[in-house]
């Protein structure tokens, strides 16, 4: 089925939106995050040992700002998007995620992949993330110290929240025992 020019334009705008999300969390550009989400955004992340569930833009930004902190290193690559424009102001998307997350303070290194399932809504002419959900495909955990390496660049060390700036987000995360 052929796409209209508007649908193609919408799909490209949604791709840029998701890329901004990944870049913002990896580089600690937390000022950019609020503009990416609807006020009523819903989020669920199903990891191998955790589940995050939250609602609302403020909770989303607070969670991400505390998770990608000054003691962390992160890399998120969203590939193979499958965007479906479902209406003039609505769309859905599937993304394959490849990620690395290192928490130096907890000596934790996570490598993984996941499938993101998103819903998008256009508000005031701008596409935003209305809901986001991922389910892990692969998650490998190990101690970072076992890798016998050290970071030579760590952008979040300067852009991420310092320990005294962080807030408690434990009510948003359920850890498996």
């Amino acid at each position: 089925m052929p796409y209209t020019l508007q649908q193609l334009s919408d799909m490209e705008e949604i791709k840029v939106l998701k890329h901004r999300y990944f870049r913002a969390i990896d580089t600690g550009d937390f000022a950019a995050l609020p503009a990416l989400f609807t006020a009523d955004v819903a989020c669920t992340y199903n990891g191998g040992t955790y589940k995050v569930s939250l609602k609302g833009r403020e909770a989303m930004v607070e969670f991400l700002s505390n998770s990608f902190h000054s003691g962390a290193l992160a890399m998120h690559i969203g590939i193979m998007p499958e965007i479906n424009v479902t209406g003039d102001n609505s769309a859905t998307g599937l993304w394959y995620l490849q990620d690395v997350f290192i928490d130096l303070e907890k000596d934790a290194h996570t490598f993984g992949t996941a499938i993101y399932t998103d819903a998008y809504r256009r508000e005031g002419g701008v596409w935003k993330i209305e809901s986001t959900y991922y389910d892990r495909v692969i998650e490998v955990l190990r101690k970072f110290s076992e890798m016998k390496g050290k970071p030579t660049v760590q952008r979040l060390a300067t852009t991420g929240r310092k320990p005294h700036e962080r807030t408690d987000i434990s009510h948003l995360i359920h850890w498996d025992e």
Side-chain angles (χ1 to χ4, degrees), residues 1-19:
M1 163 168 132
Y3 296 110
T4 67
L5 287 177
Q6 184 61 54
Q7 289 172 321
L8 291 171
S9 177
D10 291 341
M11 287 188 265
E12 287 304 309
E13 288 178 31
I14 290 166
K15 290 176 189 176
V16 170
L17 168 67
K18 191 69 172 188
H19 296 319

Side-chain angles (χ1 to χ4, degrees), residues 70-74 100-105 107-109 144-145 147-157:
S70 63
L73 298 97
V100 174
F101 182 78
I102 299 167
D103 189 329
L104 296 173
E105 296 169 6
D107 191 25
H109 175 254
F144 182 70
S145 60
M147 298 180 67
K148 300 186 185 204
K150 66 176 186 172
T152 57
V153 174
Q154 181 190 1
R155 172 148 333 163
L156 287 170

Side-chain angles (χ1 to χ4, degrees):
M1 163 168 132
Y3 296 110
T4 67
L5 287 177
Q6 184 61 54
Q7 289 172 321
L8 291 171
S9 177
D10 291 341
M11 287 188 265
E12 287 304 309
E13 288 178 31
I14 290 166
K15 290 176 189 176
V16 170
L17 168 67
K18 191 69 172 188
H19 296 319
R20 284 183 181 143
Y21 162 77
F22 290 132
R23 187 182 70 249
I25 60 177
D26 287 350
T27 64
D29 186 2
F30 304 117
L33 287 175
L36 306 180
F37 305 111
T38 61
D40 61 344
V41 65
C43 170
T44 302
Y45 299 137
N46 283 321
T49 58
Y50 63 89
K51 181 175 183 175
V52 173
S53 184
L54 58 89
K55 290 191 186 309
R57 181 186 301 135
E58 288 182 24
M60 184 73 163
V61 171
E62 194 65 13
F63 172 77
L64 294 170
S65 298
N66 281 284
S67 298
F68 298 92
H69 54 73
S70 63
L73 298 97
M75 177 198 73
H76 292 78
I77 299 172
I79 59 174
M80 303 183 313
E82 299 174 40
I83 309 297
N84 184 24
V85 178
T86 58
D88 290 342
N89 296 306
S90 61
T92 59
L94 287 176
W95 293 81
Y96 199 86
L97 169 72
Q98 297 174 333
D99 68 319
V100 174
F101 182 78
I102 299 167
D103 189 329
L104 296 173
E105 296 169 6
K106 294 180 180 174
D107 191 25
H109 175 254
T110 304
F111 163 79
T113 63
I115 303 293
Y116 265 96
T117 303
D118 293 346
Y120 309 101
R121 185 169 67 222
R122 185 177 6 225
E123 295 181 337
V126 178
W127 285 103
K128 296 184 179 193
I129 299 170
E130 179 179 33
S131 68
T132 188
Y133 168 90
Y134 78 53
D135 209 9
R136 283 289 192 189
V137 176
I138 298 171
E139 184 173 272
V140 178
L141 308 173
R142 61 190 290 189
K143 292 187 178 291
F144 182 70
S145 60
E146 292 174 355
M147 298 180 67
K148 300 186 185 204
K150 66 176 186 172
T152 57
V153 174
Q154 181 190 1
R155 172 148 333 163
L156 287 170
T158 56
T159 59
R161 285 189 180 175
K162 309 301 184 263
H164 68 278
E165 298 170 323
R166 297 180 204 155
T167 58
D168 182 16
I169 56 171
S170 60
H171 63 288
L172 301 172
I173 308 169
H174 175 264
W175 296 96
D176 292 340
E177 300 302 320

